[in-house]
Amino acid sequence: MPPRGAAVRGTAPRDASYVRAMPPALRDRLIAEAQRLAGLGWWTWEAAADRVTWSDELYRIYGLEPGAFGASFAAYLERVHPDDRARVRAEVERAVATGDTFAFKERVVRPDGAVRVLHSAGEVLRDPDGSVRLLGVCHDVTERVEAEDALRRAYDEMEERVAQRTAELARAEVRFRAIVEACPTPLLISRVADGAVLYANARLEALVGVETGGLAGRTTPDFYADPADRSRVLDAVRERGEVRDHELRIRRADGATRWVALTVQPLAFDAEPALATALLDVTERKATERALRERTGELEAVFRALPDLYFRMDADGTIRDYRAGRQFGLYAPPDEFLGRPMPDVLPPDVGALTADALAEVARTGEPVGIEYTLPLGDERRDFEARLLPLDEGAGGGQVVAVVRDVTAERRHTADLDAARREAEAARGRADQYAAGLEASLADLRRAQDRLVQQEKMASLGALTAGIAHEIKNPLTFVTGFASVSRDLLDEVDAEGDPGARAALLGDLRENVAKIEAHGRRADAIVQAMMAHARSGSSRRRRVDLNGLVEESASRALHAATARRPLPGPALVFDLAPDAGAVEAVPEDLDRVVVSLVDNALGAVRQRAEAEGDGYVPAVTVSTRRDAGGVEIRVADNGTGMPEAVRARVFEPFFTTKPPGEGIGLGLSLAHDIVVQGHGGALTVESVEADGSTFILQLP
């Protein structure tokens, strides 16, 4: 190629005259190749002679060998698609009659059945003798037409999909609004910039004490009890991306304040940065926590006032906790015995005695008493210990030991023994001097009677102390508060000052409430036993498995969070769509699911309290159906269970919950309902420190 701008010498323009000057064979080859590349063929029709002539390319387009065509207009029409023949004939006849040019689209059918789309155009020529000839050109546009059809179909499909998606979005928005309005949790969407309320459901309006639509035009800062709280919430969202269970006080429209726990997520609402906030009213829970702290302080004071030492141990004697009463010396510092087996902490002889007592408790399930002596400081002290199996409270398989320093009592007994020996000696001497010492002998006998009586009283005291140890805290507190209440009644009767009298009545009401609470505790045990006896008494009927499981598990979650909040989202549902219905006693099956979920929530709460913020609790409730029936699984990532606990988890009165939070009947009752009441199976899989899975199978 010459440089730009340079003249080209010895080269003539390649115009039509150049083509005409080519050798005929070369010119024909070039024209044929151009027609093939362009998909163009030509034809002529002499109407009077009915003679048709085709170019080689037109034969190729029709899928025919050159010369294989019948060379008549009728033969040509035979190659046209049957649905297009009438229209093509009409177009040609119109052109012959009018002499106008013509153009039409036609489909032709090849011998192999393939259909090609042609665009035909041409003109009518009249010879001097009046004869008519048609000259036409055919352009094979099959690929273009197919591409246009495919594009049109794709466009129509896209339009249909867009319409469907638009309709789905509209339906989804309607469903979303219906769900949000029906949601039992107060929900709020507010603008980040100024806190303007963009949306609030009826639950939120009720929480803040306004009428329906009363939040329109309001801003969230209007409801913060502490105006600085909103800035703190915004800072937390910017830092962590969300806020979960953030507790603060809000001010209602009537001026009253309530404690709420906020969960906040950022989102875009009408193309504006906004915050979606769910509020949980925790006012009652906060009051309960405050009362619990006060109650815990009272119990600690009671422990400090008692003269005994209390140990809570595992079945092997490993010390888990202790409480020391007033003026009670310890054999070793707490950091040297907590977490160690008690037999290893004590001297070998006392350790062996303790190990035997632990084995006896494990074997019989009955209380066992032992006596021993320990060196404390510069002296040796005498002790009595009573080991009792825990059938409720902190957990089955554990033992509580109540230890009392009986050194003073032993010394008193020794003094009595010495006095008895002295009396015996005196009586011996009296026998030798019977005649002169009758009066002295009588005195000695009276002294002996007094000593025996004292010994009986001491034995009776020891027996009474043992019985007292058997009486549980509810009776102790009921009688204690009843006694105090009786004294308060006397004081109320004697008090003339109305203010002091009102204060005494307030104390009396508190005592009555405490007596009632401990009575309810005893009643709860009775009710649990009655429920155990009544399980399976209702009639079976078909019940929707997924609906029952979801409702029961949700109710268990609400009850658990009402007692004590969980540190994060702890309930996930994985319900099989084909779970269907099952023949069951709905009330009993509900009780089983509630018990399993409550047990799982307790496990994740215990692990969350032990591990702190790095742990994310999760309880998954799932259902599935197979050839054998249906299955419900409740899995948690909580504390898990050691083998010893897992083996006894379905025994009555066996529990691992802290004192006052369970009596050990929930899982036992659930097992009886499933196995005896429904002919199913209830099993557990557990890995210590890694969670548990309870598997409920129904036929």
Side-chain angles (χ1 to χ4, degrees):
M1 180 179 290
R4 178 175 292 183
V8 179
R9 299 180 182 274
T11 302
R14 297 190 177 186
D15 54 13
S17 62
Y18 173 78
V19 175
R20 287 193 297 270
M22 286 182 178
L26 177 60
R27 183 177 66 246
D28 292 344
R29 285 178 57 193
L30 287 176
I31 293 173
E33 183 66 15
Q35 290 177 352
R36 187 187 68 79
L37 292 175
L40 290 173
W42 57 265
W43 56 270
T44 62
W45 176 46
E46 298 175 29
D50 192 17
R51 184 169 52 248
V52 177
T53 304
W54 282 5
S55 68
D56 290 347
E57 180 60 22
L58 192 57
Y59 277 107
R60 188 194 66 77
I61 292 172
Y62 273 73
L64 298 170
E65 291 294 330
F69 177 58
S72 67
F73 185 69
Y76 154 70
L77 286 178
E78 286 297 322
R79 299 294 176 182
V80 177
H81 194 283
D83 294 342
D84 295 348
R85 285 174 188 167
R87 178 174 52 81
V88 170
R89 180 190 296 275
E91 287 289 336
V92 172
E93 290 176 351
R94 182 194 60 77
V96 171
T98 62
D100 294 338
T101 58
F102 59 88
F104 54 84
K105 188 178 291 185
E106 62 180 327
R107 288 173 295 172
V108 298
V109 182
R110 288 182 170 184
D112 60 2
V115 177
R116 305 296 293 179
V117 181
L118 307 182
H119 184 271
S120 298
E123 60 181 343
V124 178
L125 303 177
R126 293 187 183 276
D127 293 335
D129 60 0
S131 61
V132 176
R133 284 185 301 138
L134 272 68
L135 176 62
V137 177
C138 293
H139 185 197
D140 188 346
V141 295
T142 305
E143 284 74 14
R144 189 189 73 189
V145 170
E146 290 176 350
E148 290 174 351
D149 290 343
L151 183 61
R152 187 178 299 106
R153 288 193 301 272
Y155 179 80
D156 293 341
E157 183 179 352
M158 181 186 69
E159 286 289 330
E160 182 179 358
R161 289 182 179 179
V162 169
Q164 291 176 351
R165 185 57 178 163
T166 302
E168 289 174 0
L169 290 174
R171 290 192 297 270
E173 182 178 358
V174 172
R175 288 196 300 270
F176 171 76
R177 289 190 174 275
I179 292 171
V180 170
E181 286 300 328
C183 178
T185 301
L187 299 176
L188 166 71
I189 298 178
S190 60
R191 192 161 51 215
V192 172
D194 55 4
V197 176
L198 303 178
Y199 171 79
N201 66 357
R203 296 281 184 172
L204 181 68
E205 293 172 337
L207 177 62
V208 299
V210 299
E211 297 179 353
T212 301
L215 290 176
R218 304 288 294 275
T219 61
T220 55
D222 297 342
F223 299 98
Y224 283 98
D226 182 356
D229 277 339
R230 183 171 188 268
S231 297
R232 298 188 188 102
V233 171
L234 289 176
D235 291 342
V237 171
R238 295 187 187 102
E239 179 181 348
R240 299 192 297 270
E242 63 177 2
V243 169
R244 291 190 177 275
D245 299 323
H246 179 76
E247 295 184 357
L248 51 79
R249 287 182 305 119
I250 63 170
R251 190 178 306 281
R252 288 169 45 89
D254 59 6
T257 60
R258 304 286 293 178
W259 277 98
V260 296
L262 302 182
T263 296
V264 185
Q265 290 276 2
L267 78 162
F269 191 87
D270 290 340
E272 290 186 283
L275 298 175
T277 305
L279 296 86
L280 179 65
D281 190 340
V282 296
T283 305
E284 285 72 20
R285 189 195 73 196
K286 298 288 283 187
T288 301
E289 291 174 351
R290 183 170 58 255
L292 181 61
R293 287 193 297 270
E294 295 172 354
R295 183 62 177 155
T296 301
E298 293 175 2
L299 292 176
E300 290 290 342
V302 170
F303 269 116
R304 289 193 298 271
L306 294 175
D308 298 327
L309 177 63
Y310 298 84
F311 291 98
R312 181 172 59 84
M313 302 176 291
D314 293 338
D316 62 356
T318 300
I319 302 172
R320 296 302 179 190
D321 195 10
Y322 84 101
R323 290 289 187 277
R326 56 183 172 81
Q327 300 178 348
F328 206 109
L330 295 174
Y331 175 71
D335 58 356
E336 294 184 9
F337 63 74
L338 285 175
R340 295 182 57 195
M342 181 173 281
D344 295 347
V345 176
L346 299 172
D349 56 337
V350 181
L353 183 65
T354 305
D356 292 342
L358 287 167
E360 184 70 10
V361 171
R363 186 181 68 83
T364 65
E366 298 294 331
V368 175
I370 58 174
E371 299 179 359
Y372 55 89
T373 301
L374 288 178
L376 287 182
D378 298 332
E379 62 176 340
R380 297 185 66 81
R381 306 288 294 180
D382 297 322
F383 297 92
E384 288 182 354
R386 189 169 182 81
L387 282 68
L388 304 93
L390 279 176
D391 57 1
E392 63 180 85
Q398 292 193 326
V399 177
V400 63
V402 182
V403 181
R404 174 165 292 183
D405 187 335
V406 294
T407 305
E409 290 86 342
R410 293 287 176 83
R411 290 175 180 173
H412 179 63
T413 303
D415 292 341
L416 290 176
D417 290 340
R420 187 183 302 110
R421 289 191 297 271
E422 182 178 350
E424 290 290 344
R427 188 172 61 181
R429 290 191 298 273
D431 288 340
Q432 298 176 9
Y433 303 102
L437 300 176
E438 187 65 31
S440 298
L441 181 58
D443 291 339
L444 286 175
R445 286 176 178 171
R446 286 193 296 271
Q448 184 181 16
D449 291 340
R450 286 195 299 271
L451 291 175
V452 171
Q453 184 66 24
Q454 289 176 2
E455 184 176 359
K456 290 181 178 179
M457 293 301 294
S459 299
L460 180 60
L463 177 62
T464 302
I467 295 174
H469 285 312
E470 293 295 328
I471 298 175
K472 302 299 181 182
N473 284 339
L475 182 58
T476 301
F477 284 112
V478 167
T479 56
F481 286 124
S483 176
V484 173
S485 299
R486 184 179 61 249
D487 295 340
L488 287 175
L489 283 172
D490 294 339
E491 294 182 30
V492 169
D493 290 339
E495 183 60 57
D497 182 12
R501 184 182 180 89
L504 291 172
L505 288 174
D507 294 340
L508 185 60
R509 290 189 185 93
E510 290 185 6
N511 287 350
V512 171
K514 293 172 181 177
I515 291 173
E516 182 183 7
H518 289 285
R520 282 199 302 269
R521 168 63 178 165
D523 182 67
I525 298 174
V526 174
Q527 292 299 326
M529 293 296 295
M530 293 176 66
H532 203 296
R534 290 197 304 264
S535 64
S537 61
S538 299
R539 296 183 60 185
R540 292 192 185 187
R541 62 177 184 270
R542 292 190 65 79
V543 59
D544 175 44
L545 183 66
N546 285 347
L548 184 144
V549 167
E550 186 170 10
E551 179 181 352
S552 301
S554 299
R555 190 168 66 256
L557 175 64
H558 291 323
T561 53
R563 294 193 302 267
R564 193 176 354 161
L566 291 167
L571 192 58
V572 177
F573 289 102
D574 181 15
L575 307 179
D578 63 345
V582 64
E583 288 285 343
V585 180
E587 299 82 1
D588 288 351
L589 191 56
D590 169 81
R591 186 179 298 129
V592 172
V593 175
V594 169
S595 180
L596 296 181
V597 173
D598 183 71
N599 190 70
L601 292 172
V604 298
R605 177 183 285 113
Q606 185 177 355
R607 183 172 177 182
E609 291 173 350
E611 297 186 11
D613 294 339
Y615 165 70
V616 178
V619 174
T620 301
V621 181
S622 60
T623 60
R624 72 181 184 91
R625 177 177 288 276
D626 56 24
V630 296
E631 179 180 278
I632 303 171
R633 285 177 175 253
V634 179
D636 66 74
N637 63 344
T639 56
M641 293 179 280
E643 179 61 25
V645 173
R646 189 194 64 76
R648 300 185 59 195
V649 73
F650 295 118
E651 292 182 9
F653 298 106
F654 182 90
T655 178
T656 58
K657 294 181 179 179
E661 292 190 12
I663 61 174
L665 284 178
L667 293 179
S668 171
L669 175 59
H671 189 270
D672 288 351
I673 289 174
V674 174
V675 176
Q676 299 177 13
H678 291 78
L682 180 59
T683 57
V684 61
E685 299 172 354
S686 184
V687 178
E688 189 171 5
D690 197 31
S692 304
T693 300
F694 284 85
I695 305 168
L696 189 161
Q697 296 171 312
L698 296 176

